[in-house]
Amino acid sequence: QVQLVESGGGLVQPGGSLRLSCAASISGFSPTVMGWYRQAPGKQRELVASITTGSSINYADSVKGRFTISRDNVKNTVYLQMQMNSLKLEDTAVYYCNAQRRVAPTFTSWGQGTQVTVSS
């Protein structure tokens, strides 16, 4: 029901900034929450930030004050973005866009992932 296409990853020095974008093409039912997850080598995938259709926002403690999530709805496409500032070495991971619908009919969709590497 939702096709997710991510962009914006790359290589940045510590203290630098990146902006991730995700375009969600919706056919049928809309997601009720969208967010960004990340997975570092050897670690489990973790929630970074999420935003609901009611604009309720949640951040992982490790990124509060540094990352900002936002969304815009344009016709049948939702544009999800995350501004990442003051990047740290430990932010290095593959970042995945996620869309979920938590009321029937429920679903979960994932993007293909985009690599973020923070290195000096």
Side-chain angles (χ1 to χ4, degrees):
Q1 295 99 328
V2 179
Q3 301 295 321
L4 303 175
V5 179
E6 303 147 343
S7 61
L11 173 64
V12 65
Q13 292 185 339
S17 299
L18 282 175
R19 187 175 183 87
L20 301 183
S21 297
C22 174
S25 299
I26 299 169
S27 58
F29 292 93
S30 296
T32 56
V33 59
M34 294 186 66
W36 292 96
Y37 287 71
R38 68 185 180 187
Q39 188 167 18
K43 295 187 177 181
Q44 290 188 333
R45 191 173 296 189
E46 62 175 358
L47 175 67
V48 178
S50 64
I51 182 169
T52 69
T53 50
S55 296
S56 177
I57 292 175
N58 181 46
Y59 292 104
D61 288 342
S62 60
V63 306
K64 284 180 180 177
R66 300 189 297 122
F67 291 10
T68 303
I69 191 171
S70 61
R71 63 183 285 173
D72 292 302
N73 294 353
V74 179
K75 293 184 179 180
N76 295 327
T77 302
V78 177
Y79 295 96
L80 183 72
Q81 298 185 344
M82 186 164 69
Q83 179 67 38
M84 305 187 295
N85 297 329
S86 302
L87 284 161
K88 303 176 180 180
L89 296 175
E90 53 264 40
D91 293 320
T92 295
V94 178
Y95 285 70
Y96 296 91
C97 181
N98 171 272
Q100 299 180 39
R101 182 175 173 85
R102 296 177 177 173
V103 295
T106 61
F107 62 77
T108 299
S109 296
W110 292 95
Q112 78 280 7
T114 185
Q115 178 71 46
V116 171
T117 302
V118 185
S119 175
S120 56

